[in-house]
Amino acid sequence: MQPDLDSRPGVGGQARARALARGEGPGLWRGSCTVDKASIRHGGENVAAVLRAHGVRFLFTLVGGHISPLLVACEKLGIRVVDTRHEVTAVFAADAVARLTGTVGVVAVTAGPGLTNTVTAVKNAQIAQSPVLLLGGAASTLLQNRGALQAIDQMSLFRPLCKFCASVQRVREIIPTLRAAMAAAQSGTPGPVFVELPIDVLYPYFMVQKEMVPAKPPKGLVGQGVSWYLENYLANLFAGAWEPQPEGPLPLDIPQASPQQVQRCVEILSRAKRPLVLLGSQALLPPTPSDKLRVAVETLGVPCFLGGMARGLLGRSHPLHIRQNRSAALKKADVVVLAGTVCDFRLSYGRVLSRSSKIIIVNRNRKEMLMNSDMFWKPQEAVQGDVGSFMVKLAQGLQGQTWASDWAEELRQADRQKEQTFREKASMPVAEHLNPVRVLQLVEETLPDNSILVVDGGDFVGTAAHLVQPRGPLRWLDPGAFGTLGVGAGFALGAKLCQPDAEVWCLFGDGAFGYSLIEFDTFVRHKIPVMALIGNDAGWTQISREQVPCLGSNVACGLAYTGYHKAAMGLGAQGLLLSRESEDQVVKVLHDAQQQCQDGHPVVVNILIGRTDFRDGSIAV
């Protein structure tokens, strides 16, 4: 086994994996290991046993012969195997499971093109810091670099994308390698991990022997030498394969802020007159439950902006939650706490922060925490540690502290003014079809408390981010900083499986929906009722709104007002259409879609919309 690991601090499981690679860990061949040639067991059973011991409930996949044994073994152990129509969807589904449950999402794909099809989703998980375990099939260990079917250098492909990479070379290595990978995925800064499982470590001895060793003893010295080598190679491959090994989780390594750092931050914040908190996705990571984090934020009493997975933490309309005019608020704040938020393009690389503000930043990842601090901003206190735990300790240290109410009221008044502007834009006529701002306001009014929002698109989704509010914590899924299109179907699949009693509402741009359409076959086959609302303006509008005025051409930005609802019906789902002719029926159609979902059907609502100036000046590059 050859693990490829990053050098970031706080990543558990790496020392164990290195020990395995040096031959010092459990499961490596020792003279006492035996080979049970009569056994019909296979390495897929070892994979399934580790997944079950880690509480894995779902395995996402697109089937391939390289990985069939582990799929069958998982099914036998009660792990639900969910197959998709594209491997990228399987990874997105595992990513959603990881985000919503705080555990590792697991996906298995076949060798070669099966793995290359996952690259975008794995990179998205890396940037979003989602703990995903990717299990990849591979050619036989004996046939590596010999031109076998679908054999490529998969390790080199995934080293830049995953914080842990290992190729299993013997059956007995499966269990310790997977345990180390699961721990690495969740420790330090969470992220995807990759374990390569060659075909000969997954299939049973008698099948591998049939393919590897000649049935008749060869004649001649060379032939006999080759046969002797293959017999010994096979014995080493299966030696000790079924000896009992621990299968459960290894301890995680999660960095924590020191008491001294927390106290310094308490002192800085206690002197603030206009404090502000920006909470990002890292705040929702285990071990701090979302309800405990919410209490901490409420106890702290500081106005806050919520981004990423932190959206919805305070519910729909909380007085501390400020939603609009973030740049202006940051310029006025005298102390800013960046809790799991980084100074990348979303904060103008730090330029949006005032030079006179005192900045406290906390993040598990030191490199991200200090991004652009050598150019546009400087932290007063930089804390490498778990964000949720830090916020709880910060609130405890400031127990009883209050801030003047006029600061929060000033921010809320700015919110109200911006929302009045939105209402005015919702009432403005558009040249054709429906006003998307008005449609999204009606979605906001209709959205139930038990909903999970999945968003996948550009212009329509960017508008929705201002108008539609998640009803609680862990009820909003977007791709994250990578801005990936095509996450929708996979995220919806993972979300509905994790929370079957929730209504999963997917907001799609019409461009983005093209990636997810075929997965309505998946939803139908697996009886996964989700709602897709498509803002169909017949174009890649987020690009077009800048390309046309800047470069004078709409080339490659135009689509058609396609009947996506009819295409979904062809896949066995339900389809509904909203257009100007049904302008007064928007709420009724949304309720009809809800009812069809409750009856067990996936639904596509194709909403024909016109163009507005709502997002003029928004970021497209």
Side-chain angles (χ1 to χ4, degrees), residues 143-368:
L143 296 178
Q144 295 291 330
N145 301 314
R146 294 183 182 274
L149 174 67
Q150 298 180 331
I152 60 172
D153 183 0
Q154 297 174 163
M155 298 297 287
S156 293
L157 187 64
F158 286 96
R159 283 189 195 108
L161 306 178
C162 296
K163 60 187 296 191
F164 176 105
C165 289
S167 181
V168 173
Q169 299 298 297
R170 302 171 183 86
V171 178
R172 60 186 172 273
E173 293 175 2
I174 291 174
I175 291 175
T177 302
L178 289 179
R179 294 177 76 210
M182 295 286 275
Q186 299 172 89
S187 293
T189 305
V193 294
F194 172 57
V195 176
E196 181 181 74
L197 296 164
I199 193 169
D200 50 354
V201 304
L202 288 180
Y203 277 82
Y205 180 92
F206 73 92
M207 294 183 69
V208 178
Q209 181 187 41
K210 182 180 178 181
E211 294 295 324
M212 185 180 292
V213 180
K216 296 181 179 179
K219 298 178 180 179
L221 188 60
V222 174
Q224 292 174 1
V226 171
S227 180
W228 174 87
Y229 172 81
L230 293 175
E231 288 282 2
N232 279 275
Y233 190 97
L234 181 64
N236 189 32
L237 195 67
F238 281 88
W242 319 124
E243 291 182 2
Q245 297 185 65
E247 299 167 348
L250 295 166
L252 303 183
D253 183 359
I254 298 175
Q256 297 290 339
S258 70
Q260 295 80 10
Q261 287 176 308
V262 174
Q263 184 56 37
R264 288 197 297 270
C265 295
V266 166
E267 292 170 3
I268 293 169
L269 199 54
S270 68
R271 295 190 290 269
K273 302 297 183 185
R274 298 182 305 281
L276 198 61
V277 173
L278 272 62
L279 274 177
S281 295
Q282 274 196 21
L284 273 294
L285 292 174
T288 305
S290 60
D291 55 351
K292 188 174 182 180
L293 177 63
R294 173 174 178 155
V295 170
V297 172
E298 291 176 328
T299 301
L300 197 59
V302 174
C304 59
F305 288 89
L306 306 175
M309 292 303 296
R311 284 177 180 263
L313 176 67
L314 298 176
R316 186 178 182 186
S317 300
H318 196 285
L320 290 177
H321 182 199
I322 311 301
R323 303 182 64 240
Q324 316 296 342
N325 303 296
R326 186 176 65 180
S327 296
L330 285 168
K331 290 296 185 185
K332 294 179 180 179
D334 59 353
V335 174
V336 177
V337 180
L338 302 177
T341 303
V342 298
C343 292
D344 59 11
F345 69 94
R346 292 167 291 182
L347 288 180
S348 297
Y349 310 99
R351 287 176 294 192
V352 74
L353 300 172
S354 171
R355 293 282 185 179
S356 61
S357 299
K358 293 182 178 178
I359 311 299
I360 297 169
I361 186 165
V362 55
N363 199 291
R364 291 195 187 190
N365 187 299
R366 182 170 179 81
K367 182 179 178 181
E368 285 199 359

Side-chain angles (χ1 to χ4, degrees), residues 104-124:
V104 179
V106 185
V107 57
V109 300
T110 197
L115 275 162
T116 59
N117 276 346
T118 70
V119 167
T120 296
V122 174
K123 184 64 182 181
N124 194 80

Side-chain angles (χ1 to χ4, degrees), residues 352-564:
V352 74
L353 300 172
S354 171
R355 293 282 185 179
S356 61
S357 299
K358 293 182 178 178
I359 311 299
I360 297 169
I361 186 165
V362 55
N363 199 291
R364 291 195 187 190
N365 187 299
R366 182 170 179 81
K367 182 179 178 181
E368 285 199 359
M369 178 172 65
L370 299 177
M371 188 182 298
N372 298 311
S373 63
D374 57 338
M375 295 179 65
F376 301 120
W377 69 285
K378 293 291 182 186
Q380 181 80 10
E381 195 69 42
V383 180
Q384 185 178 2
D386 177 62
V387 176
S389 304
F390 172 84
M391 292 300 296
V392 170
K393 294 170 185 174
L394 190 66
Q396 292 170 346
L398 287 160
Q399 193 88 33
Q401 174 88 25
T402 58
W403 286 270
S405 60
D406 57 346
W407 167 236
E409 179 55 32
E410 177 185 344
L411 298 175
R412 286 193 291 268
Q413 178 60 28
D415 257 18
R416 289 190 288 268
Q417 291 173 355
K418 195 68 171 283
E419 287 161 4
Q420 175 58 32
T421 303
F422 296 162
R423 285 189 288 272
E424 293 170 1
K425 289 185 180 293
S427 65
M428 294 173 63
V430 292
E432 58 180 341
H433 303 303
L434 299 175
N435 184 324
V437 182
R438 180 57 183 153
V439 169
L440 288 166
Q441 284 184 334
L442 295 174
V443 169
E444 164 64 15
E445 294 170 10
T446 310
L447 197 68
D449 288 341
N450 72 334
S451 60
I452 295 176
L453 282 162
V454 174
V455 297
D456 184 8
D459 206 66
F460 186 66
V461 165
T463 304
H466 288 280
L467 301 171
V468 183
Q469 300 184 52
R471 300 315 197 227
L474 300 175
R475 293 190 171 275
W476 173 279
L477 287 168
D478 65 30
F482 202 33
T484 307
L485 293 181
V487 302
F491 279 8
L493 178 62
K496 188 63 177 178
L497 286 169
C498 287
Q499 299 189 30
D501 294 331
E503 287 190 18
V504 177
W505 289 49
C506 308
L507 304 181
F508 284 101
D510 55 330
F513 186 70
Y515 295 94
S516 288
L517 172 60
I518 191 60
E519 298 300 347
F520 275 78
D521 169 80
T522 303
F523 296 139
V524 170
R525 287 185 296 108
H526 289 282
K527 297 179 172 57
I528 307 291
V530 300
M531 280 176 60
L533 310 182
I534 305 169
N536 185 353
D537 59 3
W540 300 95
T541 304
Q542 181 160 302
I543 309 304
S544 177
R545 72 167 66 254
E546 292 186 10
Q547 180 176 308
V548 172
C550 290
L551 301 172
S553 172
N554 197 49
V555 62
C557 293
L559 297 172
Y561 283 106
T562 301
Y564 297 110

Side-chain angles (χ1 to χ4, degrees), residues 3-22 163-164 180-181 183-184 187 250:
D4 289 272
L5 312 157
D6 71 14
S7 58
R8 286 177 286 183
V11 180
Q14 296 188 2
R16 299 180 188 90
R18 291 193 180 100
L20 282 170
R22 293 194 301 266
K163 60 187 296 191
F164 176 105
S187 293
L250 295 166

